């Protein structure tokens, strides 16, 4: 498999560990179901990044599944988290949204779906640690501007739509300041409350 | 229900009975439907008539042309928005003569200029098959063409110049296999739509059939299929051509760009006999023997600099897959030495491969292809020009050098 996905290495690293480019995400160790949904979304143009849309355009579901399982199985080390540059207030605001949401503005806690330890839930919800701030805000922006869409109902589009620019900045700052666990542990399927319905994570 | 309206209904039913009966009679024959499905694959109707993540055959796919955007039609049997009310006669007229049931002219982006060669029997089979697919209620999107191309009467001029109506006439001097191949390549396969120079009106010119051309808006070059100058098919074995068309990879090269779509959606589904017949016909088009060397001006100081600069880049970035001497590791990594598809006068294809990388299509014969990484971020324009110049001229290859400017221009090419 490693030889078949060498085409992905310049952007995602030879073992899916990510590269120095802050917009190029790590793939290793994410839930296979989540990675599979992303590969299908890129192939079908539902999630847009032209270099990847182009590479995957003529690949079958079966093959994309194998690629997803392959990257899900890898465990390269995480880089140490970058020391936060943002103020304590911003980090505290981020932590509050992640753990408790913002009931006043209808924002659900991120942990309600991504897990109390933010490790994600099988099969389709990814962990939120080990991601860089620029990537997190880029993705939340993608949902708001429609360049990233997930299977309907797209709960993340709703969540991202409720966040202000400042919220996004705070959440991205907080999440990227937390160390990622060496071994990802996903919450078992169906074990989290999930305040909204998500097409990527059917009950 | 009152008597009168029942009577009316019966009357109406009687009036429509002949049409309905004919349609049903065909629809009832599973062998004809299966044949129609197969022929629709050979014609690649699905690739154009299905939008991304859209319903099969419901149309709506945008087709960019130099004159604006066309949207493909809904060809499901929905009576209001599809072709549910069309008769097989009307369908044949569309395929054969490019006219709507009301006589209106069809844009040649619908390849009727090739489909005109399809026999009535085959057209009827495709018609019968299309009647069995799930009807989808979806209105056709209006085309977005610029003036004056939004005026359909302009198609008349195009037709006078480029359209020759007529079913395929077998050549009695050739084998049945050759004739079957010719029928598929010239007709349903509509290979000439890309492999023929596109003239200013977006049609392909018959006098230069299969001589190759740049596909407008896509920035890919479809090589000539007629001569050794552009394609190496004269040196390919039938087996290699069959592999290329059906699996997407072969000992001589892999498919990429728009050709990957053709293999993915159409050719991989054709049976061995038909693909073999196409290969026999294609090989007959290509002339045998060693092609003449293109009249390359002696390498200037700049191009020899590019060359010496290109080899270290090749050794560092490319040799691990394509081999130190360009021999490749087929079928996983195509050879570059002797690969005609990168030596053509137009250097668009090799430059784009280096910038964008690529995967051959996943097919039943090659379900898990190996891929090539994109180098757009890693290599500068000078480096791209240098390495492409190197692969076009090393190991006995006869291509011409390319400039950094050419490489730069293709960075903006639409990816998909």
């Amino acid at each position: 498999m490693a030889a078949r996905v060498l085409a992905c290495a310049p952007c995602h690293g030879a073992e899916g560990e990510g590269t120095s480019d802050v917009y190029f995400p790590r793939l290793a160790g994410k839930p296979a179901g989540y990675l599979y949904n992303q590969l299908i979304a890129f192939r079908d143009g539902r999630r847009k990044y032209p270099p990847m849309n182009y590479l995957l355009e003529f690949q079958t579901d079966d093959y994309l599944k194998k690629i997803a399982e392959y990257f899900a199985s890898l465990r390269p080390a995480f880089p140490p988290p970058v020391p936060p540059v943002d103020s304590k207030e911003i980090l505290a605001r981020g932590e509050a949204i992640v753990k408790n949401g913002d009931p006043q503005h209808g924002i659900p806690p991120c942990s309600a779906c991504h897990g109390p330890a933010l490790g994600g839930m099988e099969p389709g919800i990814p962990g939120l640690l080990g991601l860089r701030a620029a990537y997190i805000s880029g993705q939340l922006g993608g949902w708001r501007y429609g360049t990233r869409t997930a299977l309907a109902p797209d709960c993340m589009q709703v969540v991202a739509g409720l966040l202000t620019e400042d919220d996004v900045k705070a959440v991205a700052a907080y999440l990227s300041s937390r160390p990622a666990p060496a071994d990802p542990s996903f919450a078992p399927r169906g074990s989290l409350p999930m305040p909204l319905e998500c097409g990527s994570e059917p009950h | 229900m009152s008597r009168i309206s029942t009577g009316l209904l019966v009357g109406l039913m009687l009036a429509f009975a002949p049409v309905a009966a004919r349609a049903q009679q065909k629809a009832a024959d599973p062998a004809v439907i299966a044949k129609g499905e197969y022929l629709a694959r050979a014609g690649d109707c699905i690739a154009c008539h299905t939008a991304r993540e859209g319903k099969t055959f419901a149309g709506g796919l945008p087709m960019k042309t130099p004159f604006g955007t066309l949207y493909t039609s809904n060809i499901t049997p929905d009576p209001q928005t599809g072709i549910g009310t069309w008769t097989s006669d009307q369908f044949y007229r569309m395929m054969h003569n490019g006219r709507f049931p009301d006589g209106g002219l069809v844009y040649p982006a619908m390849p009727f200029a090739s489909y005109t060669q399809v026999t009535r029997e085959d057209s009827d089979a495709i018609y019968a098959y299309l009647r069995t697919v799930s009807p989808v209620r979806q209105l056709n999107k209006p085309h977005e063409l610029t003036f004056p191309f939004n005026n359909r009467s302009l198609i008349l001029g195009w037709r006078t110049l480029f359209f020759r109506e007529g079913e395929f006439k077998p050549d009695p001097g050739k084998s049945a296999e050759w004739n079957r191949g010719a029928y598929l390549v010239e007709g349903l396969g509509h290979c000439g739509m890309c492999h023929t120079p596109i003239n200013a009106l977006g049609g392909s010119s018959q006098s230069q059939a299969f001589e190759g051309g740049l596909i407008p808006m896509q920035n890919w070059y479809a090589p000539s299929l007629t001569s050794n100058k552009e394609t190496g098919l004269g040196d390919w074995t039938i087996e290699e051509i069959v592999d290329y068309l059906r699996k997407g990879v072969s000992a001589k090269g892999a498919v990429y760009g728009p050709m990957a779509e053709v293999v993915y959606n159409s050719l991989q589904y054709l049976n061995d006999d038909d693909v073999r017949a196409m290969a026999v016909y294609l090989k007959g088009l290509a002339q045998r023997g060693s092609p003449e060397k293109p009249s390359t001006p002696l390498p200037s100081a700049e191009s020899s600099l590019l060359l010496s600069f290109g080899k270290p880049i090749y050794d560092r970035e490319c040799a691990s897959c394509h081999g130190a001497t360009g021999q490749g590791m087929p079928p996983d990594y195509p050879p570059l030495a002797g690969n005609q598809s990168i030596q053509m006068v137009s250097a668009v294809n090799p430059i784009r491969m280096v910038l964008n990388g690529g995967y051959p299509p996943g097919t039943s014969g090659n379900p898990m292809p190996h891929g090539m990484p994109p180098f757009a971020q890693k290599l500068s324009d000078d480096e791209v020009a240098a390495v492409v110049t190197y692969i076009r001229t090393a190991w006995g290859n006869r291509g011409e050098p390319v400039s950094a400017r050419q490489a730069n221009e293709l960075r903006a090419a639409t990816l998909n």
Side-chain angles (χ1 to χ4, degrees):
Chain A
M1 230 13 235
R4 294 180 199 273
V5 294
L6 276 175
C8 324
C11 301
H12 295 291
E15 290 187 79
E17 72 277 18
T19 58
S20 57
D21 188 312
V22 293
Y23 292 101
F24 291 180
R26 177 185 174 96
L27 305 178
K30 292 184 175 175
Y34 169 74
L35 292 176
Y36 176 66
N37 285 339
Q38 304 316 306
L39 294 175
I40 298 277
F42 281 116
R43 181 193 65 191
D44 295 344
R46 200 179 340 108
R47 185 171 173 184
K48 292 196 181 64
Y49 178 64
M52 278 201 52
N53 300 132
Y54 160 81
L55 283 180
L56 299 176
E57 191 169 1
F58 303 117
Q59 303 308 325
T60 61
D61 293 358
D62 272 355
Y63 189 26
L64 296 182
K65 195 154 187 224
K66 292 209 171 74
I67 294 177
E69 283 163 357
Y70 173 71
F71 283 111
S73 73
L74 300 178
R75 296 286 180 274
F78 279 92
V82 231
V85 290
D86 300 282
S87 69
K88 279 213 172 70
E89 291 73 47
I90 292 183
L91 292 172
R93 168 79 181 143
E95 180 170 9
I97 296 175
V98 167
K99 293 187 173 159
N100 311 315
D102 182 343
Q104 242 190 336
H105 296 99
I107 304 169
C110 315
S111 58
C113 295
H114 289 277
L118 304 173
M121 174 164 68
E122 292 200 290
I125 301 188
L128 294 180
L129 303 180
L131 305 175
R132 282 169 291 199
Y135 177 74
I136 297 172
S137 43
Q139 295 311 308
L140 293 171
W143 263 302
R144 284 158 56 166
Y145 303 118
T147 51
R148 178 167 182 179
T149 46
L151 290 172
D154 187 356
C155 56
M156 273 308 297
Q157 194 164 35
V158 177
V159 173
L162 292 167
L163 301 174
T164 64
E165 294 288 334
D166 285 345
D167 293 342
V168 169
K169 191 168 174 230
V171 165
Y174 170 71
L175 288 171
S176 61
S177 72
R178 310 291 304 154
D183 212 23
S185 56
F186 311 123
R189 182 182 200 131
S191 64
L192 295 170
M194 290 188 60
L196 297 166
E197 253 194 86
C198 309
S200 320
E201 183 78 17
H203 301 301
Chain B
M1 199 182 273
S2 78
R3 249 166 189 278
I4 303 163
S5 64
T6 314
L8 231 166
L9 200 67
V10 170
L12 273 173
M13 281 164 74
L14 280 176
F16 284 121
V19 177
R22 218 185 310 140
Q24 257 163 27
Q25 194 188 5
K26 294 249 163 68
D29 186 347
V32 172
I33 293 167
K35 182 177 166 198
E37 178 171 10
Y38 178 83
L39 294 169
R41 278 292 181 192
D44 209 2
C45 321
I46 198 165
C48 286
H49 284 283
T50 306
R52 285 199 150 190
E53 293 211 304
K55 301 254 167 53
T56 309
F57 293 125
L61 182 84
M63 286 182 75
K64 294 219 171 79
T65 77
F67 324 113
T69 302
L70 289 162
Y71 293 92
T72 58
S73 323
N74 181 345
I75 58 168
T76 71
D78 182 65
Q80 269 87 43
T81 62
I83 59 169
T85 59
W86 291 34
T87 64
S88 60
D89 285 344
Q90 290 170 332
F91 182 80
Y92 178 70
R93 193 156 173 236
M94 154 69 65
M95 295 282 285
H96 186 71
N97 192 15
R99 282 180 187 271
F100 289 104
D102 66 3
L105 300 172
V106 174
Y107 282 109
M110 159 75 187
F112 64 85
S114 303
Y115 296 160
T116 188
Q117 308 224 7
V118 174
T119 62
R120 174 71 201 229
E121 192 188 337
D122 283 355
S123 169
D124 284 353
I126 298 174
Y127 171 81
Y129 162 64
L130 286 176
R131 294 199 73 80
T132 66
V133 307
S134 316
V136 178
R137 178 147 310 183
Q138 180 177 302
L139 280 172
N140 288 334
K141 256 192 166 163
H143 303 316
E144 293 159 8
L145 295 174
T146 51
F147 178 82
F149 302 103
N150 51 359
N151 181 351
R152 280 191 187 259
S153 61
L154 226 69
I155 301 172
L156 216 53
W158 181 91
R159 290 172 67 107
T160 321
L161 286 171
F162 303 115
F163 178 51
R164 297 291 164 268
E165 179 183 339
E167 277 186 19
F168 177 74
K169 297 257 174 338
D171 179 344
K174 303 278 190 183
S175 68
E177 193 176 40
W178 185 96
N179 275 306
R180 174 70 179 166
Y183 174 67
L184 289 170
V185 168
E186 306 268 354
L188 276 174
H190 65 282
C191 317
M193 202 170 171
C194 294
H195 288 279
T196 307
I198 312 281
N199 66 69
L201 277 174
S204 34
S205 111
Q206 273 312 307
S207 61
Q208 288 171 295
F210 299 117
E211 282 186 8
L214 190 72
I215 307 171
M217 311 309 285
Q218 295 192 24
N219 275 306
W220 284 104
Y221 188 87
S224 143
L225 296 177
T226 53
S227 78
N228 257 354
K229 267 195 226 153
E230 288 208 339
T231 65
L233 293 188
D235 299 330
W236 292 41
T237 65
I238 295 292
E239 216 52 57
E240 286 164 344
I241 305 177
V242 169
D243 281 351
Y244 177 90
L245 296 176
R246 237 179 133 194
K247 296 183 182 163
V249 288
S250 75
K252 289 275 164 64
V255 307
Y256 54 86
M259 193 60 203
E261 183 275 303
V262 178
V263 171
Y264 184 73
N265 282 313
S266 173
L267 299 177
Q268 69 159 317
Y269 295 98
L270 302 195
N271 65 42
D272 197 55
D273 285 349
D274 277 350
V275 180
R276 197 163 289 274
M278 292 169 92
V280 166
Y281 174 68
L282 289 173
K283 200 169 155 67
L285 283 174
Q287 301 140 11
R288 235 187 193 298
S290 55
E292 70 223 66
K293 199 175 161 61
S295 52
T296 323
L298 275 182
S300 63
E302 194 197 337
S303 59
S304 49
L305 193 73
L306 278 176
L307 247 178
S308 57
F309 185 30
K311 182 170 165 29
I313 302 172
Y314 180 85
D315 290 344
R316 188 178 76 232
E317 305 287 355
C318 326
S320 59
C321 294
H322 292 291
T325 55
Q327 77 279 17
M329 277 181 260
D332 295 340
Y333 304 119
L336 300 180
N339 186 327
Q340 287 286 346
S341 88
I342 65 173
Q343 304 173 49
M344 300 177 287
V345 174
S346 163
V348 163
N349 291 2
I351 295 174
R352 289 206 58 182
M353 282 308 293
V354 170
L355 290 174
N356 308 136
Y359 269 89
T363 58
S364 49
N366 183 39
M368 295 171 47
H370 287 64
M372 162 153 164
F375 288 91
Q377 268 128 354
K378 200 166 187 185
L379 300 181
S380 68
D381 293 341
D382 283 329
E383 289 172 317
V384 171
V387 78
V388 172
T389 296
Y390 179 70
I391 61 170
R392 276 163 69 82
T393 50
W395 322 300
N397 282 358
R398 296 162 295 96
E400 290 170 45
V402 305
S403 68
R405 194 171 150 203
Q406 284 171 283
N408 182 271
E409 279 166 5
L410 286 166
R411 284 188 187 266
T414 323
L415 276 178
N416 99 332

